[in-house]
Amino acid sequence: MSRNVTIGAAQVGPILREHSRGEVVERLIALLRAGAAKGCDLVVFPELTLTTFFPRWFFQDESEADIFFETEMPNAATAPLFEEAKRLGVGFHLGYAELTVEDGRQRHFNTAILVDKTGAIVGKYRKVHVPGHSDDRPSYPYQHLEKKYFETGNLGFPVFRAFGGIVGMLICNDRRWPEAHRSLGLQGVEMVLVGYNTPRHAPATPHLDRLSEFHNHLSMQAGAYQNATWVIGVAKAGWEEGADLIGGSCIIAPTGEIMAQAVSQDDELIAFDCDLDLGRGLREHLFNFADHRQPQHYRRLVDQTGVILPPE
């Protein structure tokens, strides 16, 4: 029985503060249809797909930022995307800002969901490695206030059985941390879906700006190879509200090779037929965790330094 899944990486060009949810959803539906035309089983959208990257602004009253959050999913604005996915028989991954009530209080998360071919939500992930700062830095050309507007995700690193395989999700900065990929790899993940909004210029480390695209691909290619999994990295790209967001959306094989890559900074759909069994040889031999991994030595490191490592 075939274990091939055709995956579309749906890069999204700039979204401005003035753009409505409805306008954005129309663009996403067009990309979903483009994926269906290419035979995609699953289309992957980026981090915070539905709005501009609002953490670049400092709001004195944090509740002013709540207009960028979704209180339910689907909702009136996004329902047409779910309905079109069901009609086309194409699943999707969507990143968005989530406002919910848990433990009797409002919670704010940077969230991604996995939706199957029937339009049903089958998985949710909340970003763990929240970057940036929480204080106002008016000297910066734009800010990165994710720590002000988002809490650390509280769902761990779950995997989901969907699309004929084992699927995990990461969001943006998560991709830079080996522990995130490994936490999924230890659960046998076969596809990792990663959405990102990454500016080319980092005010705190401008000397690294020239390496933005290189580091983006490096982290995902390493995660793919070291965990013998497909990684689908999808950007919100282009010049957005004063920030130049890198593109480079790509589909990476378990060998670490980039099999398809976007060439623009705009809305663009790339697709590849992914063989989920391609990583099997790596998992059975080179990266056979049961035979070669030495967790007892990692535990000693934890005892000595207090470093928190992935589960066994």
Side-chain angles (χ1 to χ4, degrees):
M1 184 176 179
S2 174
R3 288 240 301 148
N4 282 40
V5 180
T6 302
I7 300 180
Q11 180 170 287
V12 176
I15 295 174
L16 304 183
R17 191 168 175 177
E18 66 194 43
H19 290 162
S20 69
R21 299 289 203 285
E23 291 174 295
V24 175
V25 168
E26 286 181 6
R27 290 166 61 181
L28 302 186
I29 288 174
L31 288 164
L32 193 71
R33 289 171 177 164
K38 292 186 177 184
C40 289
D41 300 290
L42 170 64
V43 169
V44 183
F45 295 113
E47 173 192 32
L48 298 177
T49 313
L50 298 171
T51 68
T52 194
F53 188 77
F54 64 88
R56 65 173 60 98
W57 293 297
F58 182 88
F59 297 102
Q60 191 70 43
D61 180 354
E62 291 184 22
S63 66
E64 292 182 50
D66 285 353
I67 61 170
F68 298 104
F69 286 77
E70 315 303 318
T71 57
E72 58 181 346
M73 191 62 67
N75 53 40
T78 60
L81 178 63
F82 284 76
E83 292 164 3
E84 187 66 3
K86 181 178 180 179
R87 187 186 74 81
L88 294 171
V90 177
F92 65 90
H93 161 282
L94 180 72
Y96 64 97
E98 179 189 14
L99 173 57
T100 188
V101 176
E102 291 182 355
D103 303 321
R105 65 183 180 90
Q106 283 195 338
R107 312 290 298 273
H108 297 76
F109 297 105
N110 190 334
T111 296
I113 52 172
L114 181 64
V115 177
D116 70 14
K117 293 183 177 185
T118 71
I121 296 173
V122 294
K124 177 184 281 190
Y125 170 70
R126 290 168 173 165
K127 187 175 183 177
V128 169
H129 297 92
V130 178
H133 52 93
S134 58
D135 56 310
D136 189 13
R137 300 184 184 182
S139 63
Y140 283 9
Y142 48 80
Q143 308 204 41
H144 198 147
L145 290 157
E146 285 194 59
K147 280 187 166 65
K148 178 178 176 65
Y149 300 123
F150 296 117
E151 299 177 53
T152 300
N154 60 357
L155 300 178
F157 295 98
V159 297
F160 307 94
R161 294 192 177 274
F163 300 95
I166 302 174
V167 186
M169 294 178 275
L170 299 175
I171 299 175
C172 199
N173 191 43
D174 288 324
R175 75 194 188 278
R176 305 185 190 279
W177 299 88
E179 304 95 322
H181 293 275
R182 181 51 48 88
S183 294
L184 297 174
L186 287 169
Q187 300 174 79
V189 77
E190 295 171 308
M191 293 183 282
V192 180
L193 316 179
V194 186
Y196 59 93
N197 283 226
T198 300
R200 188 177 310 280
H201 172 59
T205 55
H207 60 291
L208 297 178
D209 289 358
R210 65 185 181 84
L211 298 172
S212 297
E213 288 92 342
F214 169 70
H215 287 155
N216 173 48
H217 286 155
L218 174 67
S219 58
M220 293 190 291
Q221 288 177 265
Y225 173 58
Q226 292 173 347
N227 295 281
T229 182
W230 290 88
V231 172
I232 294 81
V234 186
K236 172 118 71 58
W239 190 261
E240 183 183 272
E241 300 286 8
D244 183 14
L245 302 179
I246 65 170
S249 299
C250 58
I251 298 173
I252 304 168
T255 56
E257 299 169 280
I258 294 177
M259 308 307 290
Q261 182 174 330
V263 297
S264 75
Q265 296 283 294
D266 300 313
D267 292 7
E268 181 180 352
L269 190 287
I270 59 171
F272 194 80
D273 189 27
C274 302
D275 179 0
L276 298 187
D277 288 324
L278 187 61
R280 179 177 293 174
L282 284 168
R283 286 191 294 273
E284 291 177 349
H285 301 286
L286 189 60
F287 294 117
N288 187 315
F289 295 160
D291 280 356
H292 308 316
R293 190 168 172 265
Q294 300 294 327
Q296 67 272 22
H297 294 288
Y298 309 153
R299 300 266 70 90
R300 187 178 303 134
L301 177 64
V302 172
D303 294 339
Q304 293 171 347
T305 67
V307 172
I308 299 174
L309 295 174
E312 297 304 328

